[in-house]
Structure formats: C-alpha cells, structure tokens
Amino acid sequence: MIDYLVILLRRKKLIIINTLIAFIISILISLTLTKWYKSTAVIMPPAKEGFGLDLAMLNLPFSPGLGGDESVFKYLSILKSRSIKETLIKEFDLMQEYKEEFLEKTLEAFEENIDIDVTEEGAIALSIYDPDPVKARDIVVRYYQLLDSIHTVLSVERATHNRVFLETRVEDTQQRLKFAEEKFRDMQLQTGILTIPEQIASGIQFIAELEAKALQLEIQLSYLGKIVDKKSSKYRQVEQELAEYRKTLGDLKTGGNSHDKLSILPPLSEIPNISLNYYRLYRDVQIYNKILEFVLPQYEKARLEEAKNIPTVQLLDYPQVAELKAKPKRAFVVIAATFLFLVLLVTYIITVEKLKLLAKENPDKHKKIDFILKNLNPFRLRTKNPAK
C-alpha cells in the first residue's frame, strides 16, 4: 500500500491535471444532455371493491376478491398493459420523438420513461418523463383517462357476468320454493297436520340455516371456479368448509357420529312416516326461503353495478406542468464520470510503474508479460518479412 502511495505521489501532477481535464469535459458533456421533465398523478383505488357477491355475509374467515389490494393489482395490470402504451405512442407520436423506426424499440424507450409506484397508503403514483413538460403532463392525463375507461368497461363486464350468474340462481330457487310450498300445502290439506312439535320445528330451522349456508358456499365455490385456480388456497378453503357443512348435515339427518353432539332433533329414521314427509316438506320451504334472503340482495346489487357507467378512478393529485427538470442529474453525471476516470488513471499509472520495476528486478518475467500484452493487443500491427 505504501509503495502504491509513493507511486501516486510521484505522479500527482499528472493525476491532478488529467483529472481536472476529465472534470471539465464531463461538465461540457452533461450540458449537452437532453433535459427531461416529470409529471405525476396520484391515483387512489376504491377502498372496497366487491364483485356482486357479498361474501362477507357468509361470515367466512376471508373474503376473496374484496378490498383495495385487488383494485391496486387490477389498476397496475391495466397501466402496464401493452395496449394502453401503444395507444399513447400513437396518439402522441412518440416514435418520431424517440427517433425509432420500429414499435418494439419505441415501447422499450417509452417504458424507461414511465414510473409506476405503490405508496405505503395503497395509492398509485404514475409518472411520465418527457423533454416537453406540457407533453409530459398531457400524457399522464391521457394515461389516467384510458385507465378509467378500460376499468369501467371491465367492471361492467364483470357485473354483467355476476348478474347473469345470480339471476339464474334466483330463478331456480324461486321455482324450487314455489314447488316446495305447493307440496307442503297439499300435505297439510291431506293430513290435517298444521304444526309439528317444537323440538322438531327448532331442529328444522337449524338445519334450514345450515342448508342455506351450504348452498351459499356452493354459489361461492362455483364463482371462484371461474376466476381462480381450483388448486388455490382460497378455492380449497371454501371447498373444505362446504364439505364440513355437508358432513354435519348428513350426521344430523341420519344420526351419525355428530348426533350425540348435535341432538337438536331425532334422526329421520326415528320419525314416523307422516311426520317424516311433513318434516321434509317444511324443511325445503325453510331452506329455499333462507337462500332467497341471501341471493336476492346480491342479485339487486349486481344489477346496480351493471347499470353504473361512472368514472371509477379517483385522482388525489392531478398532474402538473413541471417547472424544473427531473433528469439528468448533472452533478451526479459529472462526479461519476470524473471518479471513473480517476480510478482508471490511477490503475494505469500503478500498472506501468510496476512493469518498469519488474523489468529491472526480473527481466525474464517482464519479457513474458510484455509478450503476452503485445499478443493480446487487437490493434497490434503485424509486419510481413520481405524475405519470405
């Protein structure tokens, strides 16, 4: 280390002069670099965004698809999509601005001038760099407009899907309820039985609620099967809960393993035939009523979401025309270039001095190194022997 320091001190004048020259040249180069201005918009996704099926009503430990996180990921997917970038390139003639002949190259250049960040509060900061500060602002505004229009279309399409899905469930449940009510009425007219024991009635009410919960889970599972992988944790969790509900219902009806714990009513095998038929019909009516209590509000909600055609993207900070350039950072460019030159210069001086010292102390080794360096030089001139 001391030897290196001695070498550098001997060449300090050379180092200082050349470093100053490099410093001045880097300043001149930095002054020729294009100025880029930055305009930023801060977008806030909705705090809670459902999909027409209010899974919170099921009292599940999770509600897949709900919450602001889904909206953030959805917005990011739209903002980073190729289609929206190509639209901006065409509308603002960025191929000419970036002096690119091919769209792919223009896309690469444009992506380098886009910054999309998610803040700690869950908002999205969208920034655009451009040599023209007004144009940078205009691109951000148009970016926001395209995001809003695409998100609105996707939301309406999703709501339509939900509405059709729930509409089918409502119609099916209403038909089943009507059929169950008619059969129950006929049973009462034929047998003259108008009421059943209070114990069995309370048990029927309990089973009806369990059946309604199970069918709600079936609806949820059917919907999840269309939007997530069936191997995902969300799908498997709902599938497992449904299986547990079905097992409990089976034990209650047949007097299985859980009958000792859930002795709300006797198993079906212990109820006389007439009472059994009455029980089944009464249970069906209660079940379908419970299902309608759940499905109808969701159906109305889906219809309202389908009818909505209003802006869904909220702007916290509207993009402004920048007064100061955002890049390049000239001071950083100058310091980095000067430091790099200094490192290369110091390395060169130390290497040259070491080779001179080696030539004195070990001439044979120096000749070998000199031979290697000369042969590694791609610009070395090869002279022909005139005698050949």
Side-chain angles (χ1 to χ4, degrees):
M1 182 64 70
I2 295 177
D3 293 339
Y4 294 155
L5 184 59
V6 170
I7 292 173
L8 295 177
L9 288 174
R10 288 175 179 172
R11 297 287 185 271
K12 64 180 179 180
K13 185 176 180 181
L14 174 67
I15 294 173
I16 293 173
I17 293 174
N18 283 277
T19 302
L20 286 174
I21 294 173
F23 179 73
I24 295 171
I25 293 175
S26 62
I27 291 176
L28 296 175
I29 293 174
S30 69
L31 292 175
T32 63
L33 297 176
T34 303
K35 296 180 181 179
W36 291 80
Y37 296 87
K38 176 182 177 182
S39 185
T40 302
V42 179
I43 301 166
M44 177 61 72
K48 183 177 182 180
E49 185 175 327
F51 49 70
L53 198 61
D54 193 357
L55 304 180
M57 292 183 66
L58 300 179
N59 295 320
L60 297 179
F62 71 92
S63 295
L66 299 177
D69 288 345
E70 184 196 73
S71 300
V72 170
F73 293 137
K74 189 183 302 179
Y75 282 13
L76 289 176
S77 298
I78 297 173
L79 289 171
K80 294 179 180 180
S81 66
R82 180 187 177 100
S83 60
I84 198 171
K85 292 173 184 174
E86 287 184 358
T87 301
L88 291 169
I89 288 173
K90 292 175 182 177
E91 290 185 1
F92 290 92
D93 198 16
L94 295 182
M95 292 185 69
Q96 182 178 353
E97 178 177 318
Y98 293 154
K99 297 179 175 61
E100 296 289 352
E101 184 179 355
F102 301 102
L103 180 60
E104 289 294 333
K105 293 293 184 179
T106 309
L107 274 170
E108 293 176 6
F110 185 40
E111 286 171 355
E112 292 178 358
N113 293 313
I114 301 174
D115 276 345
I116 302 174
D117 297 315
V118 179
T119 67
E120 295 180 357
E121 295 77 16
I124 299 174
L126 170 63
S127 301
I128 295 292
Y129 295 89
D130 196 89
D132 183 350
V134 176
K135 190 173 184 179
R137 189 274 314 273
D138 292 342
I139 293 176
V140 176
V141 172
R142 183 57 180 153
Y143 216 139
Y144 154 73
Q145 292 172 348
L146 290 171
L147 167 65
D148 184 66
S149 61
I150 293 173
H151 184 263
T152 301
V153 170
L154 293 177
S155 298
V156 172
E157 289 178 354
R158 181 191 58 189
T160 300
H161 170 80
N162 296 334
R163 192 265 305 162
V164 173
F165 174 77
L166 290 167
E167 188 174 54
T168 303
R169 300 302 306 186
V170 168
E171 291 175 355
D172 179 68
T173 304
Q174 287 175 334
Q175 290 295 327
R176 291 174 180 268
L177 176 60
K178 181 181 178 181
F179 180 74
E181 287 174 337
E182 290 175 352
K183 289 193 67 175
F184 183 62
R185 180 200 60 197
D186 294 341
M187 173 67 178
Q188 287 180 315
L189 292 175
Q190 290 174 6
T191 61
I193 300 176
L194 300 178
T195 60
I196 55 176
E198 183 179 346
Q199 180 189 9
I200 296 179
S202 62
I204 289 173
Q205 184 67 23
F206 177 71
I207 288 183
E209 291 179 357
L210 290 181
E211 287 278 11
K213 288 280 189 179
L215 191 50
Q216 289 170 10
L217 284 170
E218 287 181 4
I219 295 173
Q220 180 185 352
L221 198 64
S222 174
Y223 183 82
L224 284 176
K226 294 180 175 65
I227 62 173
V228 300
D229 188 352
K230 291 187 178 181
K231 295 182 180 180
S232 66
S233 60
K234 290 182 179 181
Y235 188 90
R236 288 184 176 180
Q237 186 172 353
V238 176
E239 192 175 40
Q240 183 180 356
E241 287 205 43
L242 177 59
E244 291 174 357
Y245 269 105
R246 287 303 180 200
K247 182 179 182 301
T248 301
L249 285 165
D251 291 340
L252 283 170
K253 293 175 183 179
T254 60
N257 296 331
S258 65
H259 177 56
D260 294 335
K261 298 179 181 179
L262 298 172
S263 56
I264 296 175
L265 75 163
L268 298 184
S269 58
E270 299 177 11
I271 302 176
N273 289 337
I274 295 178
S275 299
L276 175 60
N277 194 26
Y278 185 97
Y279 154 76
R280 284 173 174 165
L281 294 173
Y282 179 77
R283 180 194 62 188
D284 289 344
V285 172
Q286 294 299 314
I287 288 172
Y288 294 128
N289 272 317
K290 285 287 183 182
I291 293 171
L292 276 180
E293 288 178 8
F294 166 76
V295 177
L296 276 175
Q298 305 309 310
Y299 173 59
E300 292 299 326
K301 180 181 177 182
R303 288 180 60 190
L304 289 174
E305 287 186 355
E306 184 182 20
K308 286 193 304 185
N309 190 19
I310 58 176
T312 56
V313 181
Q314 301 173 340
L315 274 183
L316 290 182
D317 292 333
Y318 194 83
Q320 302 295 325
V321 177
E323 296 180 353
L324 302 175
K325 67 177 178 63
K327 61 179 185 180
K329 304 294 184 182
R330 289 201 175 100
F332 175 80
V333 171
V334 171
I335 293 173
T338 304
F339 178 76
L340 178 62
F341 176 81
L342 179 62
V343 170
L344 294 175
L345 179 61
V346 168
T347 303
Y348 174 77
I349 290 174
I350 291 176
T351 303
V352 170
E353 291 296 327
K354 283 291 184 180
L355 287 174
K356 288 180 179 179
L357 182 62
L358 185 64
K360 295 179 181 179
E361 296 178 352
N362 194 340
D364 293 336
K365 187 175 182 180
H366 178 267
K367 288 180 180 179
K368 293 178 181 178
I369 294 175
D370 186 59
F371 174 77
I372 293 172
L373 292 175
K374 286 181 179 179
N375 281 274
L376 289 177
N377 182 8
F379 302 104
R380 184 171 64 91
L381 296 177
R382 298 179 181 273
T383 58
K384 295 182 179 181
N385 192 340
K388 292 183 179 180

